[in-house]
Amino acid sequence: MTPGNRRHAVYTGSFDPLSLGHYDIIRRGAALFDRLTVGIGINPEKSPLFTPQERLDLIARTTCELPNVDVACFEGLAVNFVRRCGAGVMLRGLRTLSDIEGEFTMALANRALGPELETVFLMASEGCSHISSSLVKQVALLGTDSQTEPLEQFVPPLVIEALRTKLASRRPAPRV
Ligand code: ADP
């Protein structure tokens, strides 16, 4: 297998939805590599809140000021997607100790499947390590009574808008 371009990295995930933690990894990855592709993995066994196209649009619009970032959806193994992109690096983010275990196992599996690819980890920035897409969805679903928008700390503004629209019909009417 010919090695892919080591200056081109691919950052895969479900991004359901894109969080400020993901965005931080994208921004820093784009500064490290010549090109960064964000790959939205489509897992038929999961029922995501946002469709792949919605997730793609949100990432494309949020990263439009980063000229070396592109976004695509993929099905199947991430290593095969990285190969199709012609990239040589898989970029991952690390939040907590518990992330390390899972990410380490995945990196070893990916090395077995794609020995020509290298996995590079970026540590979450301060203030991002507690952010996950599931936390974002929980906060969005439960809503708030306060004047401030709690989602501002977790997701980019466009995603707040999309979450509001998506969940408007699902949120139970408040008890008075
Ligand atoms: P999520 O669980 O938020 O949907 P994924 O599991 O799809 O995210 O993760 C994609 C990659 O992004 C993984 O390497 C994960 O560790 C990383 N990541 C997710 N959230 C953050 C964050 N807040 N800070 C840094 N990296 C993150």
Side-chain angles (χ1 to χ4, degrees):
M1 188 61 68
T2 48
N5 179 358
R6 287 284 163 95
R7 299 298 315 148
H8 180 184
V10 175
Y11 176 39
T12 58
S14 42
F15 307 106
D16 184 42
L18 175 77
S19 71
L20 286 178
H22 294 134
Y23 181 72
D24 178 62
I25 299 293
I26 294 172
R27 192 183 49 75
R28 289 162 58 206
L32 276 176
F33 295 94
D34 292 343
R35 182 174 169 198
L36 180 72
T37 300
V38 182
I40 303 166
I42 302 172
N43 183 346
E45 281 167 22
K46 282 189 183 170
S47 23
L49 181 62
F50 290 96
T51 66
Q53 188 57 46
E54 286 170 335
R55 284 179 269 163
L56 188 142
D57 286 346
L58 286 172
I59 297 172
R61 288 165 66 204
T62 306
T63 59
C64 65
E65 83 284 11
L66 301 170
N68 59 339
V69 173
D70 53 276
V71 199
C73 295
F74 72 97
E75 281 181 75
L77 289 174
V79 284
N80 290 338
F81 174 66
V82 179
R83 283 177 179 145
R84 286 199 297 279
C85 291
V89 175
M90 302 179 85
L91 181 68
R92 305 289 297 172
L94 284 177
R95 286 166 287 196
T96 53
L97 267 184
S98 55
D99 257 4
I100 293 180
E101 212 180 317
E103 291 289 338
F104 187 65
T105 308
M106 197 188 295
L108 288 179
N110 284 336
R111 182 175 290 166
L113 293 164
E116 80 284 11
L117 304 173
E118 200 62 76
T119 300
V120 170
F121 295 100
L122 287 182
M123 248 177 67
S125 290
E126 231 180 79
C128 285
S129 62
H130 60 294
I131 305 175
S132 67
S133 294
S134 43
L135 171 80
V136 166
K137 284 181 273 196
Q138 213 171 358
V139 173
L141 196 62
L142 295 175
T144 178
D145 288 338
S146 73
Q147 298 293 313
T148 57
E149 173 53 80
L151 287 170
E152 260 173 23
Q153 312 163 58
F154 306 132
V155 292
L158 281 173
V159 178
I160 299 183
E161 231 177 273
L163 277 164
R164 279 210 195 109
T165 311
K166 177 73 71 179
L167 295 173
S169 54
R170 302 188 185 196
R171 191 173 291 144
R175 288 175 186 221
V176 281

